[in-house]
């Protein structure tokens, strides 16, 4: 008897738990199609034993769905001037990039702010006026017509997103109007209003292309929701058709913080996930519920965390995404970013469509070369190249230092960095295109000062950070200017390379020895670079006369080309010219000017072809103290748009053929002949 009561009590408890769950589902106002599926899941719980694992999985699953932000959006701030102010306030320089961001936002905002147009057609004035009032209040642009023929006149003149028409009208009735509308502009949605007696005709209307029908007497809620769903299809598609912004550039150039500013100016929530090393598709799309410990993917997890269906969602380091036997996350991402599919995104765990079409995705990458092609096609790439010394000093003074002072609790002291101290930090203690190391160094100084203040070891009224303070805190320079001070050497040329972290200086060494006509290449060179080396040697061998070399210089010799810093893999075509110069310097016994750096691809006929990353390379050359740089003549267009202050204090030479650069790079050995 006791046992029987216990059982009955348990089953009552379970019923009330399930009923509560059902009510929560209904309260959540999920999309109709989703609600149906979830309610079915709720009903299924009755059939499962509460002590089974399946029951708990079921409850957790429904709980999870209830906590998702279905139809929960933050309202966009559409003020483009405010966006401009925020971008300018939070970022120095980057004028061209800000322009492009604002243009992109303007297009999106324009699309969002365009009001949907509705034409109400009814021969009863009362109904017309009622609908006009209700729908205008909802923010639509509403017009009315008293008959089918008047409606047709309007439709031929203007495009409407939606026509709401009465079914029964004189001469041209609702169905005839529907047929004509679909002929004139098939994209216009139509909603038919009908009395109870004509429901069958209304069903026929749906078959003929109307979006829905509403029965009389009209209920305001029903009108609002039907109109909203008829138009949501349109705005959704319009909004998400804009390409996705992809910021590319070296680390620390402000990609993430630009994304944050965009979110702040739109007043949207901000999400950032890093895709670096992500190999498993399930990280994007989730695990199936039947897995033990199944989880939804990162996209849904994050949207749930911020409780908004329209955040700014940053997909960081999209170029580092992996691929292995567990599937291809890039393919899953493509679905996430595809406007045709993302309104119905299915995460394996939640297993019902979730609308991602209102999310504003932004991607970031260090280089575009490694972004899978189909993804790249969806992007509007905005590239950032790194900052000059003066830009860094400015950003530090206006942004990094105030932030670091605040974070270290020094706001009430007047801590000041001199420009000279900042230049010293940048020159001697950082080597980067962006600002990460500089930011760390500034924070480190602020923390050290805080510590000394707490210890009462320094005078709070004399807190100037000078070159001496930098020396005291960080000691001798971490990076040396091998370039400016070092000796010119035979067989060692200076090149400019472009890597994921920005521009860089490389040295290429060449030497020869007795051997068996081999070209030895070392220094973790990639395939392309090896081929460049072979091409450079072949070109020199076939033009010995031009270069005043012995025709058989390679006979019974081995030539070795080495690019130091061997642990770092190097590849790319832009080293051809530098390799050829190193070889000629070695063969002609003429030292290379170390302060002259070059970049360019070399053809078998000695022409110098254009290369990428001109601005990054120029920045790196300046930081390294290079005096002269040689660029391919075909890069003249890129060179012409480089800011003047970056071209100051450095000689820029362009060349179309290898011959043209030799005198500039190779030093004549006094009294020496080859
Ligand atoms: P990324 O995402 O490109 O690696 P971050 O956005 O993390 O770089 O930037 C690193 C730091 O430098 C951040 O504190 C950022 O606010 C700051 N920063 C970068 N560029 C600028 C800029 N133009 N103006 C102001 N601060 C900047």
């Amino acid at each position: 008897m006791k046992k029987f009561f216990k059982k009955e009590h348990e089953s009552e408890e379970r019923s009330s738990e399930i009923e509560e769950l059902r009510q929560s589902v209904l309260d959540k106002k999920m999309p109709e199609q989703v609600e149906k599926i979830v309610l079915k899941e709720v009903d299924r719980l009755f059939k499962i034993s509460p002590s089974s694992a399946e029951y708990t999985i079921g409850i957790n699953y429904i709980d999870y769905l209830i906590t998702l932000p279905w139809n929960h959006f933050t309202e966009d701030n559409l003020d483009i001037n405010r966006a401009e102010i925020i971008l300018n306030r939070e970022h120095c320089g980057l004028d061209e990039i800000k322009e492009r961001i604002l243009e992109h936002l303007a297009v999106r905002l324009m699309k969002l702010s365009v009001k949907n147009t509705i034409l109400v057609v009814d021969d009863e004035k009362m109904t017309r006026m009622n609908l006009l009032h209700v729908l205008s209040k909802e923010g639509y642009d509403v017009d009315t017509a008293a008959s089918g023929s008047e409606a047709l006149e309007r439709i031929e003149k203007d495009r409407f997103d939606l026509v709401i028409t009465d079914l029964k009208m004189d001469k041209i009735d609702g169905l005839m109007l529907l047929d004509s509308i679909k002929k004139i502009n098939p994209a216009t949605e139509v909603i038919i209003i009908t009395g109870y007696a004509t429901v069958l005709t209304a069903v026929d209307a749906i078959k003929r292309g109307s979006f829905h029908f509403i029965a009389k007497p009209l209920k305001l809620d029903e009108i609002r929701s039907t109109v909203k769903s008829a138009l949501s299809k349109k705005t959704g598609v319009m909004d998400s058709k804009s390409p996705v912004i992809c910021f590319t550039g070296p680390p620390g150039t402000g990609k993430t913080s630009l994304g944050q500013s965009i979110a702040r100016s739109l007043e949207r929530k901000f999400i950032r996930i890093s895709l670096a090393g992500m190999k498993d598709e399930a990280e994007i799309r989730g695990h199936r519920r039947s897995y033990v410990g199944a989880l939804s993917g990162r996209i849904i997890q994050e949207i749930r965390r911020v409780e908004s269906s329209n955040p700014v969602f940053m997909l960081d380091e999209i170029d580092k995404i992996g691929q292995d036997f567990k599937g291809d996350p890039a393919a899953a991402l493509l679905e996430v970013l595809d406007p045709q599919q993302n309104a119905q995104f299915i995460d394996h765990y939640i297993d019902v469509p979730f609308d991602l079409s209102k999310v504003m995705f932004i991607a970031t990458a260090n280089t575009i070369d490694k972004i899978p092609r189909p993804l790249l096609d969806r992007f509007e790439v905005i590239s950032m190249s790194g900052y000059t010394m003066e830009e860094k000093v400015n950003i530090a003074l206006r942004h990094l230092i105030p932030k670091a002072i605040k974070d270290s609790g020094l706001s009430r002291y007047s801590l000041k960095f001199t420009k000279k101290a900042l230049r010293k930090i940048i020159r001697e203690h950082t080597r980067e295109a962006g600002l990460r190391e500089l930011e760390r160094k500034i924070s480190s100084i602020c923390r050290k000062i805080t510590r000394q203040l707490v210890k009462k070891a320094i005078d709070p009224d004399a807190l100037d950070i000078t070159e001496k303070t930098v020396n005291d805190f960080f000691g001798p320079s971490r990076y040396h200017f091998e370039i400016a001070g070092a000796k010119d050497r035979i067989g060692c040329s200076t090149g400019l390379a472009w890597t994921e972290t920005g521009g860089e200086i490389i040295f290429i060494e060449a030497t020869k020895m007795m051997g068996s006509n081999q070209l030895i290449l070392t220094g973790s060179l990639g395939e392309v670079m090896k081929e460049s080396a072979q091409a450079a040697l072949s070109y020199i061998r076939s033009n010995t006369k031009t270069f005043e070399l012995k025709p058989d210089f390679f006979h019974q010799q081995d030539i070795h080309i080495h690019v130091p810093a061997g642990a770092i893999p190097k590849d790319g075509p832009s080293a051809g010219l530098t390799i050829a110069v190193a070889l000629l310097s070695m063969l002609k016994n003429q030292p290379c000017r170390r302060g002259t750096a070059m970049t360019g691809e070399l053809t078998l006929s000695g022409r110098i072809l254009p290369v990428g990353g001109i601005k990054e390379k120029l920045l790196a050359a300046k930081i390294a103290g290079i005096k002269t740089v040689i660029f391919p003549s075909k890069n003249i267009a890129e060179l012409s748009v480089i800011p003047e202050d970056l071209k100051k204090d450095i000689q820029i030479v362009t060349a179309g053929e290898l011959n043209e650069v030799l005198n500039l790079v190779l030093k004549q050995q006094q009294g020496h002949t080859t």
Side-chain angles (χ1 to χ4, degrees):
M1 193 69 175
K2 218 172 167 187
K3 208 171 168 191
F4 173 76
F5 274 131
K6 195 171 169 219
K7 256 200 163 158
E8 193 173 3
H9 177 69
E10 266 175 13
S11 104
E12 254 174 36
E13 213 173 63
R14 175 160 72 134
S15 302
S16 77
E17 183 181 33
I18 297 175
E19 276 317 314
E20 233 171 69
L21 213 54
R22 181 196 305 281
Q23 196 49 49
S24 308
V25 172
L26 292 173
D27 291 347
K28 192 70 196 182
K29 301 250 175 312
M30 300 170 173
E32 210 176 305
Q33 172 199 11
V34 174
E35 191 186 84
K36 246 193 226 159
I37 300 173
V38 183
L39 287 177
K40 244 191 207 158
E41 281 296 319
V42 174
D43 288 338
R44 219 168 59 84
L45 290 178
F46 278 112
K47 297 183 202 137
I48 313 173
S49 154
S51 53
S52 69
E54 207 186 339
Y55 185 80
T56 323
I57 291 177
I59 292 264
N60 287 344
Y61 168 65
I62 296 162
D63 259 343
Y64 195 89
L65 289 178
I66 291 171
T67 53
L68 285 179
W70 303 100
N71 294 323
H72 196 283
F73 306 102
T74 52
E75 195 158 326
D76 280 337
N77 189 325
L78 304 182
D79 184 350
I80 195 84
N81 294 330
R82 186 172 162 276
E84 190 172 349
I85 291 169
I86 292 182
L87 277 177
N88 282 332
R89 192 177 60 209
E90 297 177 359
H91 293 92
C92 284
L94 301 176
D95 293 344
E96 209 182 305
I97 285 152
K98 287 181 200 159
E99 280 289 301
R100 286 193 59 192
I101 295 175
L102 289 169
E103 281 162 19
H104 182 95
L105 285 182
V107 173
R108 287 182 81 107
L109 297 181
M110 175 67 91
K111 284 178 178 174
L112 280 175
S113 64
V114 169
K115 281 188 183 176
N116 282 122
T117 48
I118 301 178
L119 179 66
V120 173
V121 192
D122 203 308
D123 43 11
E124 271 179 43
K125 190 170 177 200
M126 188 71 167
T127 319
R128 277 200 317 269
M129 290 303 120
N130 273 344
L131 285 173
L132 174 71
H133 176 70
V134 171
L135 295 172
S136 304
K137 247 177 105 183
E138 288 292 296
Y140 302 113
D141 198 349
V142 190
D143 201 356
T144 58
S147 67
S149 53
E150 195 187 330
L152 277 180
E153 262 174 44
R154 296 276 163 82
I155 289 160
E156 279 181 356
K157 238 174 43 209
D158 295 316
R159 253 169 194 263
F160 289 92
D161 295 313
L162 173 69
V163 175
I164 304 177
T165 173
D166 191 15
L167 183 64
K168 280 236 149 57
M169 288 184 298
D170 268 353
K171 290 191 197 139
I172 301 179
D173 69 4
L175 285 184
M176 288 160 75
L177 188 60
L178 168 67
D179 287 344
S180 311
I181 291 171
K182 289 289 159 190
K183 265 187 220 139
I184 299 169
N185 182 11
T188 303
E189 297 291 356
V190 179
I191 294 176
I192 304 258
I193 301 177
T194 158
Y196 283 117
T198 49
V199 166
L200 269 181
T201 337
V203 173
D204 180 36
I206 286 188
K207 280 191 197 144
R208 288 158 78 162
S210 96
F211 177 78
H212 206 51
F213 65 88
I214 304 176
K216 278 183 179 169
L218 297 177
K219 291 184 221 75
L220 289 188
D221 267 355
E222 191 185 357
I223 293 172
R224 284 195 196 104
S225 68
T226 317
V227 167
K228 197 170 163 202
S229 57
L231 292 173
S232 74
K233 249 173 45 189
K234 287 186 175 303
T235 43
V237 170
M238 250 182 6
D239 185 14
S240 52
K241 258 194 190 146
S242 335
V244 173
I245 292 185
C246 177
F247 293 122
T248 64
T253 42
K255 301 184 291 297
T256 312
S257 66
L258 278 173
Q260 283 166 332
S261 298
I262 292 176
R264 257 193 296 277
S265 50
L266 290 173
E267 290 181 6
R268 288 190 180 201
K269 297 277 176 64
F270 180 75
I271 296 173
R272 172 179 166 270
I273 62 170
S274 172
L275 301 173
M278 193 180 272
K279 285 188 184 148
D280 191 346
E281 199 179 329
E283 286 189 58
I284 301 280
R285 226 199 283 265
H287 293 279
R288 292 197 188 282
R289 232 178 321 147
S290 46
Y291 276 80
V292 178
L295 280 176
S296 59
R298 294 291 304 280
I299 307 275
I300 293 292
Q301 272 176 35
E302 292 296 322
I303 284 184
R304 177 172 176 255
R305 186 176 61 77
V306 299
E307 297 175 357
S308 162
S309 288
N310 64 338
V312 170
F313 202 127
M314 180 164 268
L315 303 164
D316 218 1
E317 304 195 89
I318 203 153
D319 52 339
K320 309 269 182 339
I321 199 160
Q323 187 177 5
D324 75 354
F325 61 96
K326 282 181 182 155
D328 180 1
L333 267 188
L334 199 59
E335 200 182 310
V336 168
L337 299 176
D338 182 358
Q340 308 295 336
Q341 300 183 54
N342 69 5
Q344 297 276 321
F345 174 69
I346 295 200
D347 176 286
H348 286 324
Y349 179 75
I350 68 171
D351 211 16
V352 283
F354 191 90
D355 184 1
L356 296 178
S357 64
K358 308 283 189 300
V359 177
M360 179 175 182
F361 288 102
I362 297 180
T364 80
N366 289 137
T367 64
I368 56 167
D369 310 348
K370 294 189 193 132
I371 303 178
R373 187 75 223 182
L375 275 177
L376 192 58
D377 286 345
R378 290 278 310 130
F379 294 154
E380 176 182 347
V381 176
I382 299 186
S383 43
M384 2 225 322
S385 39
Y387 298 105
T388 60
M389 168 74 88
E390 284 319 299
E391 281 172 334
K392 285 183 183 179
V393 169
N394 259 336
I395 296 174
L397 288 172
R398 284 181 49 190
H399 297 274
L400 308 182
I401 296 174
K403 201 156 70 181
I405 288 183
K406 200 165 148 223
D407 291 347
S408 332
L410 291 171
S411 302
R412 62 201 165 97
Y413 298 96
S414 66
L415 179 68
K416 282 198 191 72
F417 283 67
T418 63
K419 280 193 176 179
K420 277 189 180 157
L422 282 170
R423 284 193 200 111
K424 188 175 173 72
I425 303 177
I426 296 168
R427 207 175 331 107
E428 297 180 11
H429 299 277
T430 70
R431 180 153 291 177
E432 57 177 357
L435 297 159
R436 289 221 181 131
E437 259 184 274
L438 177 60
E439 195 176 23
R440 272 197 288 271
K441 290 282 181 255
I442 290 173
S443 304
S444 153
I445 290 185
C446 290
R447 282 197 306 272
K448 285 182 200 297
I449 295 283
T450 309
R451 183 164 161 224
Q452 295 194 349
L453 278 173
V454 172
K455 270 173 53 183
K456 302 204 178 356
I458 45 168
D459 175 8
D461 294 324
L463 290 181
D464 279 356
I465 307 295
T466 58
E467 282 174 292
K468 183 176 174 307
T469 334
V470 175
N471 240 346
D472 293 347
F473 283 156
F474 298 139
S477 161
R478 269 185 64 191
Y479 299 108
H480 299 280
F481 282 112
E482 325 158 51
I483 324 291
K487 237 176 87 187
D488 301 330
R489 287 178 195 282
I490 292 176
C492 178
S493 59
T494 311
L496 292 170
W498 181 26
T499 70
E500 289 183 7
T501 51
E504 249 176 65
I505 300 291
I506 54 167
F507 297 102
I508 293 184
E509 296 175 345
T511 186
K512 68 178 170 129
M513 59 227 124
M514 295 283 286
S516 51
N517 301 10
Q518 273 192 67
L519 176 63
I520 306 163
L521 300 166
T522 52
S524 296
L525 307 190
E527 277 311 305
V528 181
M529 207 147 158
K530 283 184 184 160
E531 285 175 6
S532 292
Q534 269 151 2
L537 180 61
S538 299
Y539 172 63
I540 294 171
R541 285 180 67 190
S542 58
N543 289 279
T544 44
K545 212 163 167 194
T546 324
F547 299 119
E548 296 167 1
L549 296 171
K550 285 198 207 119
D552 60 347
F553 72 84
F554 199 35
H555 182 61
Q556 291 186 345
Q557 299 278 319
D558 279 350
I559 288 186
H560 187 159
I561 295 175
H562 178 63
V563 187
I568 308 162
K570 310 166 194 79
D571 205 7
S574 69
L577 173 64
T578 325
I579 296 173
V581 169
L583 283 172
L584 283 170
S585 155
M586 180 261 295
L587 295 168
K588 289 164 78 71
N589 229 348
Q590 285 178 253
C592 274
R593 288 192 172 84
R594 207 161 168 91
T596 302
M598 66 210 91
T599 177
E601 191 176 352
L602 194 68
T603 67
L604 271 183
S605 54
R607 279 179 306 129
I608 304 173
L609 298 186
V611 291
I614 296 294
K615 190 173 172 200
E616 287 85 345
K617 288 175 176 171
L618 199 53
L619 273 169
K622 274 199 104 165
I623 291 172
I626 296 280
K627 300 273 175 303
T628 309
V629 283
I630 302 171
F631 286 119
S633 337
K634 293 225 165 81
N635 278 115
I636 208 114
E638 285 97 325
L639 282 165
S640 65
V641 293
I642 283 180
E644 284 308 315
D645 71 317
L646 189 53
K647 295 191 219 167
K648 234 171 47 193
D649 307 327
I650 196 161
Q651 186 194 7
I652 297 176
V653 180
T654 54
E657 306 237 350
L658 175 59
N659 260 335
E660 299 167 26
V661 308
L662 287 183
N663 280 340
L664 209 63
V665 195
L666 300 185
K667 273 168 98 176
Q668 210 69 45
Q669 285 283 64
Q670 297 246 314
H672 186 91
T673 48
T674 36

